[in-house]
Amino acid sequence: MLQEDPSLGPNSWLVEEMHDLYRESPSLVSESWRVYFDSRNGVSTPAVLHATNGAANGVAAALVPAAATATPASPGPAPAPSPAPAVPPPIIPVGGESSVLRGVASKIVSNMELSLTVPTATSVRDVPTKLLEVQRNIINNHLKRTRGGKVSFTHVIGYAIVKALGDVPAMRNTFSRDDSGHPLLVRNTNVGLGIAVDMVKNDGSRSLVVPCIKDANMLSFRAFYNAYEVLIAKARTNKLAVEDFAGVTVSITNPGGIGTRHSVPRLMPGQAAIIGLGAIDYPAAFMAADPAKLAEMGISKTVTVTSTYDHRIIQGAESGMFLERVQRLLTGDDDFYDDIFTSMTIPYEPARWHRDSNPVDALRGAVVKAAAAQEILNAYRSRGHLIADLDPLDIMDRGLPAELDPATYDLSIRDLDRDIYTGMVAGKDHHILGELLSIVRDAYCRTVGIEYMHIMDPVQKKWIQQHVEGVDTRLNVNEQRHILSRLNAAEAFEKFLAKRYPGTKRFGLEGGESAMVILDAVLDEAAKAGLAEAVIGMPHRGRLNTLVNVVNKSVNQVFREFEDIVSGTVYGSGDVKYHLGATGRYVGMSGEGIDVSLAPNPSHLEAVDPVVEGITRAKLDALNEPGGTRVLPLLMHGDAAFIGQGVVAETLNLSQLAGYKTGGTIHLVINNQVGFTTNPESARSSVYCTDVAKMVQAPIFHVNGDDPEACYRVGRLAFEFRQVWKKDVVIDMVCYRKHGHNEGDEPRYTQPLMYENIDSHPSVRELYTRNLVGRGDITQEEADRAAADFDARMQSALDETRAEKEAAGEHSGTRKAANENDRASPFDIVSTGVNRDVLDRIA
């Protein structure tokens, strides 16, 4: 018979079951169980004798009771129980039968009889769950939109229990005895939190295991959530190891999962308390009531929390204080939900607990609530962008403005279930307040923030509202894979150049790869709309990427230019690549194509803007469509240049004049949040770098560059607005710059904190891949194959280019020139058809 192990508490029945399998054949149990049973049976196995930091030592450490680690006192034997009374013979009803309980069933009997030696008491408290429900909904909606996963009520309540155990330390204490049988109070520093898991065996019977989250009070919510999920996954797949069970001091059980209001469990020796979580529901008297009436009365669901504790060392007042602390945390005290949101990187402020205010006069109450709903609706349309999740680096300060706080309008969480007149929003004039807030937050406060209420034309404002409020923004799998392919192409191109030509200037797009997604969306829509051509003007940042992945310039040609730069014989500083133009044809996901030209830009920055507008107007005039929309001007900008160079304002100012109209320009600002070495707060007086565009009443779409799906949607919406209203549209894509102004600069001298963040920040492609895999939209293998395929094609193109150089006799990157004049110029001497003296006079 295996000797009892008191450290395993309520899990000792499982030890008996695993030991039966072990005796049948050691191979039937995992290595950690084999090591454990060998050591308990006194067998000297290699794993036990020679493991240095392996399973045996880990198990041995894990199996030290929590009480023993806290106080240097070894538990002694309990006082001998009184002789058991004679057991009367069983009474078996007619037709019934009996059987002897053996094995695991017998062990459970022993455990329950042993639990009778622990004198317990139970405290009960009903806790309102309305705020908990609201916060969980916010968290899970964010997870659904990003990396997937779900937070349960038990995760949050369990974390509140852990925090409350820290605030009421008496609840962490356990009881023991010394070698002489004297009672001991053991003060535990940390909490070993047991999670009761109901397991269904292969034969249909049920059993309870209680694995342990070690040092639970030392964990952030994210770490607690992850540890909890790991234990549950191991329990469901029967992979719990022996060390997973040791060290439980307090456990939580969830009878509410099967609808029980509350239960009174039994403690095993070594446990301080068991906290029971009942069903979350309305009080019984209201369970069949009209939901509208419940909302009107402000009645919310509750959960019954019980604390069954060892009464020898914990008093009723302490248990009551503990439950009161749990309630206060679940209603938002001490920034409880703020800490959870921060830990889970939820980029919003949590809802707040406020006393309900609902006038007795129903008509007056309806009018007051409707007026409040109108105010907050207008506030979100005007200012929702201020709390949008726009910054991948989370540098922006996004405190909740008072005008976006429902409490400002005397609205509480109880109002979230009330039906209120709102005026026409998303096709309805009445909304449950919670639904209304969800609609406007999804439209204006997620990873897209929109500024458009400065537009004077109410029809244009209504058009935007109809296209963003209550609209399903989900993309299908083909669209998601297409977006991922654009990110793969953009990132692989930059990485390939960085690896093959280290230290060479390329003004890379790393951190802003979603710009390629926006361009793809705009040009694909333009192609489907039958536009004749798109004319692009841009600065140096990302120019090579645009040339290759948008204008379809040959990768081989780019490599030829780099090979010449490496030789140092032709292109000098290498800047010429970032000024030249090109023409090509772009084919999008739809299969439709459009001619694309990238205008030369000798200045690096904004001098090209009016040039592109002039090219576009000339092409429209040639089509006999002055001011038409069949040629699309698309200007790309840096954030500092867009606000800092006067030519931008001048170009915008001309955009609606009859002699200069081009059917509306789409402006894409690649907002790195730094201009050369200048931070935004030192570069402008306005809130955004795009505020200058308000002068022409252009709508401004701010979008988080780390959300390529949002970038894709914004690109399509911007094009549609331009086509309908023939006006300029601005897309402000907030991102970051992976390197300095160019790859030879060291940005950490001037932005050390920003670049500390950037150094640990995953790329756009990595994040998007992680999100797609987490949501189950694609597999990791699909994503890896796509990235590897593009890199292989790049390598093939480079090998081909270098082979051509070898064939031409250009060994080691050196061009052979016919004479010194050829060596001094990158251009061949050609006949222009104009005499030199004529050109001299013109110059």
Side-chain angles (χ1 to χ4, degrees), residues 703-764:
V703 61
N704 189 322
D706 265 3
D707 187 350
E709 289 188 10
C711 292
Y712 188 74
R713 296 194 308 268
V714 163
R716 294 195 298 190
L717 184 60
F719 175 80
E720 189 174 355
F721 183 91
R722 182 260 182 184
Q723 289 299 100
V724 172
W725 302 106
K726 300 183 180 181
K727 288 180 59 176
D728 285 26
V729 186
V730 178
I731 301 172
D732 173 27
M733 189 191 78
V734 184
C735 55
Y736 57 93
R737 192 181 67 191
K738 182 73 172 176
H739 306 289
H741 177 66
N742 65 60
E743 287 68 27
D745 296 332
E746 176 47 77
R748 290 158 191 82
Y749 289 140
T750 51
Q751 282 87 25
L753 297 180
M754 173 187 281
Y755 275 85
E756 182 179 350
N757 192 333
I758 290 173
D759 288 342
S760 61
H761 193 76
S763 73
V764 181

Side-chain angles (χ1 to χ4, degrees), residues 25 105 160 184 272 276 294 356 404 407 507 615 644 690 699 730 757 770 784:
S25 172
L184 297 175
L294 292 174
D356 188 31
L404 299 178
F507 300 99
I615 293 172
T690 53
V730 178
N757 192 333
R770 187 184 304 170
D784 292 342

Side-chain angles (χ1 to χ4, degrees), residues 265-378:
R266 297 295 313 173
L267 291 183
M268 292 293 292
Q271 286 184 285
I274 296 179
I275 313 303
L277 310 179
I280 295 177
D281 209 338
Y282 290 106
F286 296 99
M287 284 184 178
D290 180 1
K293 284 295 181 184
L294 292 174
E296 182 182 327
M297 292 185 289
I299 294 173
S300 79
K301 295 178 181 178
T302 61
V303 61
T304 301
V305 184
T306 61
S307 167
T308 299
Y309 54 93
D310 188 335
H311 211 348
R312 293 170 294 187
I313 53 169
I314 299 173
Q315 302 308 307
E318 294 166 328
S319 178
M321 290 167 58
F322 163 76
L323 291 180
E324 190 255 354
R325 185 66 184 142
V326 171
Q327 174 172 328
R328 290 174 65 87
L329 290 170
L330 292 176
T331 52
D333 267 20
D334 289 346
D335 297 328
F336 175 70
Y337 292 110
D338 298 77
D339 292 343
I340 290 177
F341 277 44
T342 298
S343 180
M344 296 295 285
T345 60
I346 309 297
Y348 309 109
E349 284 203 24
R352 305 298 177 188
W353 179 267
H354 297 290
R355 183 173 294 279
D356 188 31
S357 173
N358 198 26
V360 176
D361 183 336
L363 178 59
R364 179 175 178 273
V367 171
V368 168
K369 299 296 183 187
Q374 283 294 321
E375 286 190 87
I376 200 167
L377 173 61
N378 184 67

Side-chain angles (χ1 to χ4, degrees), residues 55-311:
N57 291 345
V59 170
L63 294 178
V64 177
T69 62
T71 300
S74 57
S82 303
V87 179
I91 300 175
I92 303 173
V94 176
E97 61 180 25
S98 66
S99 61
V100 176
L101 295 175
R102 302 183 186 280
V104 174
S106 174
K107 190 64 182 176
I108 293 174
V109 171
S110 300
N111 285 349
M112 290 301 97
E113 290 177 345
L114 186 60
S115 74
L116 296 176
T117 65
V118 181
T120 62
T122 300
S123 305
V124 181
R125 191 179 186 103
D126 288 333
V127 177
T129 60
K130 182 59 184 176
L131 186 62
L132 170 62
E133 293 176 78
V134 171
Q135 313 290 31
R136 176 177 175 265
N137 189 48
I138 294 172
I139 295 170
N140 285 339
N141 280 340
H142 179 75
L143 294 178
K144 182 180 178 181
R145 291 190 301 271
T146 53
R147 62 180 178 273
K150 183 177 288 187
V151 168
S152 71
F153 290 119
T154 310
H155 288 131
V156 181
I157 300 174
Y159 190 62
I161 287 169
V162 170
K163 301 290 275 186
L165 288 170
D167 297 331
V168 186
M171 296 297 296
R172 301 198 301 261
N173 296 340
T174 50
F175 177 87
S176 187
R177 293 183 184 274
D178 63 16
D179 293 336
S180 301
H182 297 121
L184 297 175
L185 171 65
V186 182
R187 294 182 176 87
N188 296 295
T189 302
N190 291 331
V191 175
L193 187 70
I195 307 296
V197 184
D198 183 45
M199 295 179 61
V200 181
K201 300 183 182 179
N202 293 333
D203 61 3
S205 62
R206 308 181 80 93
S207 56
L208 195 72
V209 294
V210 188
C212 178
I213 298 178
K214 308 289 194 299
D215 300 334
N217 57 308
M218 305 297 290
L219 304 178
S220 67
F221 179 77
R222 180 189 284 274
F224 177 82
Y225 168 84
N226 290 337
Y228 187 109
E229 288 298 287
V230 166
L231 289 181
I232 296 298
K234 291 170 76 173
R236 299 294 184 223
T237 55
N238 199 28
K239 293 182 179 179
L240 287 168
V242 61
E243 59 267 24
D244 292 322
F245 295 107
V248 174
T249 55
V250 178
S251 59
I252 58 176
T253 184
N254 187 18
I258 53 175
T260 302
R261 181 170 176 266
H262 73 81
S263 63
V264 181
R266 297 295 313 173
L267 291 183
M268 292 293 292
Q271 286 184 285
I274 296 179
I275 313 303
L277 310 179
I280 295 177
D281 209 338
Y282 290 106
F286 296 99
M287 284 184 178
D290 180 1
K293 284 295 181 184
L294 292 174
E296 182 182 327
M297 292 185 289
I299 294 173
S300 79
K301 295 178 181 178
T302 61
V303 61
T304 301
V305 184
T306 61
S307 167
T308 299
Y309 54 93
D310 188 335
H311 211 348

Side-chain angles (χ1 to χ4, degrees), residues 484-559:
L484 184 59
S485 74
R486 296 294 82 212
L487 295 175
N488 280 336
E491 182 179 291
F493 178 77
E494 300 292 355
K495 283 188 172 181
F496 193 87
L497 290 182
K499 182 167 59 175
R500 296 299 184 272
Y501 305 104
T504 303
K505 283 195 296 186
R506 54 191 167 84
F507 300 99
L509 191 61
E510 292 102 321
E513 291 92 341
S514 288
M516 296 298 103
V517 176
I518 294 175
L519 292 179
D520 173 86
V522 171
L523 294 174
D524 195 28
E525 292 297 310
K528 288 190 293 183
L531 269 63
E533 187 177 346
V535 183
I536 301 175
M538 68 179 298
H540 50 304
R541 177 76 52 213
R543 191 175 186 90
L544 292 178
N545 217 308
T546 304
L547 282 166
V548 169
N549 289 313
V550 176
V551 187
N552 272 327
K553 180 175 181 178
S554 165
V555 179
N556 301 65
Q557 179 59 35
V558 173
F559 289 152

